[in-house]
Every structure is written in C-alpha cells, then in structure tokens.
Amino acid sequence: MLNSWVVMPTCLPVVLRRCHTCASERFRANGKFRVNANHKLLDAWLLVLCTSCGETAKLTVLERANVRSVRPELLDRMHDNDPRLAAVLLQDPVLRRRNRVALDWDGAWRLDTGGSDHLGGEAVDVSVRFAARIPVRPVRLIAEGFGLSRAEVERLVAEGRIVSADRLSGRLSGDFTFVLKR
C-alpha cells in the first residue's frame, strides 16, 4: 500500500539579504507590491521588511517593461497585493538570482502524513509530494513522518532498511518515494 505525504508551506519564507540600515540579514515578505509607471514603461517590486529594524527593501519583479508586454492579470494581482503571487514570485529562481537573495524555509512548512495508519505492515511505501519548492532534507521528513530521531533514520538508511531511487542525503525540493523495510 502506497502512503502519500505532502510537504506544504504554512507561510511565506524569510528572505535572506543584508539590510543596509542595521546589517541584519532577515527580511519578511508580506505580499505588498509597488508598481511605478514612466510613460509606457513599468517597474514593479515586491516589498520586504527587515525583521530587526523594519526597513523596507525592494525585490525587482519588472524592470523597464513595456506596458503592452505585461499581462493585465499580473498587473491587477500586483495592484491588489496578492500574497499568492508573492509566494510564486519568491520561488522563482530567476527573481532570486536577479535580486541576489536566498530563502529560509525554517518554520514555514509542515508535513501532512495523512494519519498514523502507515506504521503497520512489513514494508511501507511512501510517496512524498512537495506543494511548493521547499528544500528539505529527506532524512528530516522521514524522521518527522515516522516519529523517529534523525540519527535513527540515518542508521536505517545505512543498514539498507530505508531505500529510495533518489539520494536521501542533502536537500530535495522535488517529489520522491522511499520504502521502509521492517
């Protein structure tokens, strides 16, 4: 029997970027946008606030884009300060690279295992699906899902009692499956 686990975001991640005012490196996004028009050219930014001093920083979303090249739905969502759009944009690797930021997902996700009926049986097949691109160590997910310590999970992997086609060391942000043999 295949069990399905889902890694779901609970809030927007913390943006890691240096604050010019207080030298802190943590910003929180609240889903607010600023759009500026200069004749037929648009600039748009996602606003983030420093967690220490409250200073506002701007992450560039659009830069000198022609008005006709921007989808009206996207522009409406930015004018409405859509937090779901902010979540999508924060996960965009091009936007993160352009603005030289990284994301910290600690405390911004949860694992939904669908109940505790997966503990019975000789072998447990688990499919882990990510609702968003959240980089998490598979060992941590397995430990949390089965109520084990990470050291115990690493021991089970070393013994060959937890097997997967994907690498279980490091971080993953894409779907994977594994089998726990009792």
Side-chain angles (χ1 to χ4, degrees), residues 43-79:
D43 293 314
W45 299 276
L46 174 62
L47 303 178
V48 293
L49 300 171
C50 178
T51 57
S52 295
C53 67
E55 182 72 19
T56 301
K58 298 185 289 189
L59 303 181
T60 302
V61 177
L62 298 173
E63 188 171 28
R64 309 312 264 161
N66 191 314
V67 173
R68 293 181 188 262
S69 69
V70 179
R71 293 187 333 266
E73 306 86 41
L74 177 65
L75 199 54
D76 289 341
R77 289 177 73 184
M78 283 193 268
H79 283 300

Side-chain angles (χ1 to χ4, degrees), residues 28-130:
R28 60 182 165 76
N30 56 3
K32 302 284 187 207
F33 291 90
R34 177 167 182 229
V35 180
N36 187 29
N38 185 4
H39 298 285
K40 294 184 180 182
L41 301 177
L42 286 178
D43 293 314
W45 299 276
L46 174 62
L47 303 178
V48 293
L49 300 171
C50 178
T51 57
S52 295
C53 67
E55 182 72 19
T56 301
K58 298 185 289 189
L59 303 181
T60 302
V61 177
L62 298 173
E63 188 171 28
R64 309 312 264 161
N66 191 314
V67 173
R68 293 181 188 262
S69 69
V70 179
R71 293 187 333 266
E73 306 86 41
L74 177 65
L75 199 54
D76 289 341
R77 289 177 73 184
M78 283 193 268
H79 283 300
D80 294 338
N81 292 321
D82 186 359
R84 289 181 302 228
L85 176 63
V88 168
L89 290 173
L90 281 175
Q91 293 180 25
D92 182 15
V94 174
L95 182 122
R96 290 196 318 255
R97 189 172 37 255
R98 178 190 310 148
N99 290 286
R100 296 185 192 104
V101 298
L103 300 178
D104 181 8
W105 282 95
D106 286 345
W109 61 271
R110 68 179 172 86
L111 178 65
D112 182 17
T113 60
S116 61
D117 59 345
H118 57 271
L119 297 176
E122 199 167 300
V124 181
D125 291 333
V126 178
S127 170
V128 180
R129 187 176 62 81
F130 287 80

